[in-house]
Structures are given as C-alpha cells and as structure tokens.
Amino acid sequence: MLHLRLITPSGQTEDAVRLIEKTVGTTHLCVLTGAARDPAGDVVLCDVARESADDLLSGLKNLNLDTTGSIAVENVDLSLSDRADRAEKEAPGEGADAVLWEQLTEATHEESTLSVTYLAFLTLATMIAACGVVLDNAILIVGAMAVGPEFGPLAGISTAAVQRKPRLALRSLTALLVGFAAAIVLTVLFSLFMDAVGLFTQRQLKGERPQTGFVYAPDWFSFVVAVLAGAAGTLSLTSAKSGALVGVAISVTTVPAAANAAVALSYGDTTQTWGSTEQLLLNLLGITLAGTLTLLTQKHLWRLRRV
C-alpha cells in the first residue's frame, strides 16, 4: 500500500475526493478541512494499492494539484486493516508488477544529477578499481563495482526515452559522460602518483592478470551480461526491490573498465586503453538498451492486463 497526503485548495477538495472515491483500490480516506497553512487549503489523506496509484496520481495531476497544492506519496511498510487488504484485492493486477512512473522519473532525476557527491563516489570507485586491476585483485574490483553510482544516469536515460523527457535524458547523459571523464582524468593523476611512490608499476599492468584481464578484452559475453544486468536493475527500480541493485552493480564492468583505461593511459599503453574503452562503451550500451526495452515491455504488459 501507498499513503497519499494531499494539500488541496478548498475549491478543488471535492474534485480530489470524488477522484479518490471512484478509484478502485483506495481506502482510509480522511479530509481535514482548513488544516493546511502553506499553501492554504484542506488536507486529504488516503491509502491506495500500488497497482492503482499511477492512475490516481495522473488524475490528481490533471486537477493541477501539483501546482496549486501538494501531492506526497509514502510507502506503507505495515497496514493492519481489513479495508486495506480488501482494497489491494480489488485493485487490478499485482502491486509488484505496477510501475509508478512519477516515482521512477523523480528517483532517476535525483540519481542522475551531476553533483559533487556523485563525482566523488564515481572517482573513488574508479580509483579503488585501479588498485584492483594493478594488483589483479578481484575483491577490490567487486568493491569498486558496488561503490559506483553510474546506474542512476543509465536508468535516467532509459526512463527519459520511454517517457519522452528530453530534459531528463540530457541531464542523465551529461552526468554519465562528464562523470566518467572526470573520474578517468583524476584516476590517471592517481596512477601517476602511485607509480611515483613505487606502488604501481607498468610491469604489473602488462603482466598476466587472470582475475582482471577481462576488463580490457570485450566480447559478446560482456554485452550479454550487461543486457541482463540492465534488465534486472530496471526491474529492481520499478518494483522497489532496491537490494537487487547491488547484484546488478557487481555484474557489469563499467567502473573497472574505466579504471583500467586510466591506468593504461598513464603508462601510454594504447592497446589496453582502447580495449578498456570498448568494454566500457559496450556495457553502457547494453545496460541502456536493456533498461529501455524492459520499461517498454512493462508499460505494454500493464496496459494489456488492465484491458
């Protein structure tokens, strides 16, 4: 179940209440007349089954409540109510299959913002991966994958493509390209420093690396894994199964490939630099393509189920 808290101008309260009452899967409706102060108006509270929420939110936006008032949505972790159980049974479809497009757009918008924190996480992840590729240490590679925040912009691009939101697509693409460019440049400097103090050597980079050699040797398996991971990551976002994102993060070689490209570039190794860049681009393409197709499929299947 989801909990909605609305602030409505007094002249629009009845319209909002009627919309909630006729939406299948809603319950626990409360109207607090004159309770709101900023903006002034009434407060309307209700619970709605997840599978009915997207239609209700669209209807409320059509009433311009997002402009004249406020619409807030929260997850209900526990609801001990027969009415809530009945509302969920009456709502069409399954809650796990429903996509809240407004929530998805908001989440990807936040995750795809080019911020200092985003750049810091991506740079630190790339530097950790740089240590992993030089030492041929798979544990460091996995740790770097888990730290990397790059799935947010990738999901933003997929969401923007399906929702036809060019502004979100531009924001996400900017965060992705600028983020990786900055991370690679800073990791090149980090690699030069580590070489100067004797912790990195070119011999380590060019030697046998059975644990991490894959990061500069792209093949079809890399693309297949990226596609599968992109689909799984998108499903985890739309179904609120955020724990699955950790598994997605450690299954693709975006950050390790960028790290290997940076270290190789610091030593002038163009072969590994180009191979790592190909691996990075292949993974980014696979994740974005899979994410977009997954969202399109979910949208189509949900329409068919409702019909």
Side-chain angles (χ1 to χ4, degrees), residues 72-87:
V73 183
E74 300 172 334
N75 284 309
V76 178
D77 295 327
L78 177 63
S79 180
L80 302 178
S81 168
D82 289 341
R83 290 180 178 274
D85 294 339
R86 188 161 55 248

Side-chain angles (χ1 to χ4, degrees), residues 39-236:
D42 305 326
V43 175
V44 179
L45 308 172
C46 74
D47 291 340
V48 58
R50 182 181 175 87
E51 49 268 44
S52 298
D54 195 60
D55 286 341
L56 179 56
L57 290 174
S58 296
L60 293 172
K61 287 192 68 178
N62 288 336
L63 295 175
N64 294 321
L65 289 185
D66 56 326
T67 302
T68 60
S70 170
I71 304 172
V73 183
E74 300 172 334
N75 284 309
V76 178
D77 295 327
L78 177 63
S79 180
L80 302 178
S81 168
D82 289 341
R83 290 180 178 274
D85 294 339
R86 188 161 55 248
E88 288 187 316
K89 289 179 181 178
E90 292 173 351
E94 294 293 333
D97 297 332
V99 180
L100 299 182
W101 292 102
E102 292 295 335
Q103 184 184 55
L104 179 62
T105 302
E106 183 67 23
T108 51
H109 181 277
E110 181 180 348
E111 292 294 327
S112 61
T113 300
L114 185 62
S115 62
V116 174
T117 301
Y118 168 82
L119 289 174
F121 269 115
L122 189 57
T123 300
L124 291 172
T126 308
M127 289 179 177
I128 293 172
C131 296
V133 296
V134 171
L135 297 175
D136 193 34
N137 189 315
I139 295 177
L140 292 177
I141 292 295
V142 170
M145 290 176 175
V147 172
E150 73 279 7
F151 190 81
L154 291 170
I157 293 173
S158 298
T159 303
V162 175
Q163 292 290 84
R164 298 178 183 178
K165 294 182 179 292
R167 187 171 297 180
L168 175 60
L170 180 61
R171 175 187 291 266
S172 302
L173 187 61
T174 300
L176 196 65
L177 296 180
V178 174
F180 270 112
I184 289 174
V185 169
L186 292 173
T187 303
V188 168
L189 298 177
F190 172 73
S191 178
L192 292 172
F193 168 77
M194 295 293 280
D195 178 77
V197 298
L199 295 177
F200 281 8
T201 64
Q202 189 171 11
R203 181 178 57 80
Q204 289 174 301
L205 182 70
K206 290 183 174 294
E208 289 293 326
R209 289 191 285 150
Q211 300 293 324
T212 60
F214 66 92
V215 299
Y216 62 90
D219 54 24
W220 279 107
F221 279 107
S222 300
F223 183 74
V224 170
V225 171
V227 168
L228 296 176
T234 303
L235 284 173
S236 72

